[in-house]
Amino acid sequence: RDLPSACAAPWLAEASDSRAFSRMRFDIACPASGWRGVFIVRAAVSARVAVAARDLPSGAALSAEDISWARRPVTDSADLFGSSAPPIGLAPRGAIRQDQALRRRQLQPPQWVKRGDIVNITIRQNGIEVSNAGEALANGREGETIRVRSPASGKILRARVSAEGEVTPLE
C-alpha cells in the first residue's frame, strides 16, 4: 500500500533494525487509519575523525604531530577515533598513507620490550617498590605477558609488560 498523504493523529515510527547506517529498517504507522508500513532507509553519516597527517611507518608510536582531523564517511563508528580519544601512543601494524583514516584494527600498542633486552623487573606493594634487572625472553607490548630470566637466580618467570623496558611479575 502507498503511504497516506496525511494522518489525523501523530505518526508512529519505531526502529526495528538500526545496527548499520547503511541499512536501517523502520516500522511506520498511522493510528487514526490503521495504516502500517515498513521502510528501509540508507543514511549517509560523516564525522570528524583522526587521519594520518603524513605517511606513517609501521611500528612507530603516534604523536600529536602524526594526527590531523578530517570529515569522513562513517560506516563503523567503533573502528574510528574521535577527538575525545585520539590514538596517541599507539603504533601502526603496517604503513599508513597520508590522509588515510586511522582505524582501531590498524593500530596496536607499541612494542616496549624486545627479546634479549635488559628490563627492570618491578614489584610494587603497599607503597614499597623493589626493582631488579632481568633479560626479556620474548618481545612484548603494553599489557602482554612474556617470560623473563632473572640473572641473579637464573629463574624464568612470567611477567606483564607495564612500561617501556619494565615488567611486573605475575607469580
Side-chain angles (χ1 to χ4, degrees):
R1 292 166 38 187
D2 290 332
L3 178 67
S5 59
C7 182
W11 288 95
L12 298 177
E14 182 179 327
S16 53
D17 184 1
S18 59
R19 292 174 290 181
F21 299 135
S22 59
R23 187 179 190 280
M24 298 182 289
R25 179 181 163 154
F26 289 90
D27 296 323
I28 309 295
C30 174
S33 68
W35 184 93
R36 299 176 97 43
V38 176
F39 290 86
I40 304 296
V41 178
R42 296 183 196 318
V45 178
S46 67
R48 195 169 169 260
V49 299
V51 299
R54 60 183 181 83
D55 288 343
L56 302 173
S58 175
L62 299 179
S63 67
E65 293 77 32
D66 296 322
I67 302 166
S68 60
W69 302 92
R71 185 156 296 281
R72 294 285 192 271
V74 176
T75 55
D76 181 6
S77 61
D79 193 34
L80 297 171
F81 293 92
S83 59
S84 64
I88 294 173
L90 296 178
R93 294 178 190 272
I96 297 176
R97 293 185 326 270
Q98 182 176 352
D99 291 326
Q100 184 177 344
L102 298 174
R103 301 186 177 281
R104 293 182 193 283
R105 66 178 176 257
Q106 295 174 312
L107 303 174
Q108 63 189 350
Q111 185 170 301
W112 280 349
V113 173
K114 291 183 182 171
R115 181 180 178 173
D117 281 356
I118 300 302
V119 295
N120 284 325
I121 304 169
T122 305
I123 301 172
R124 292 178 184 88
Q125 191 171 9
N126 299 330
I128 298 172
E129 182 177 302
V130 178
S131 188
N132 193 16
E135 179 188 356
L137 301 177
N139 295 336
R141 299 182 187 287
E142 178 185 15
E144 289 183 338
T145 300
I146 63 170
R147 295 180 327 126
V148 178
R149 182 188 340 265
S150 171
S153 66
K155 285 186 176 181
I156 295 176
L157 53 113
R158 291 174 5 116
R160 184 173 324 276
V161 178
S162 53
E164 190 166 358
E166 183 178 290
V167 298
T168 304
L170 297 177
E171 298 137 4

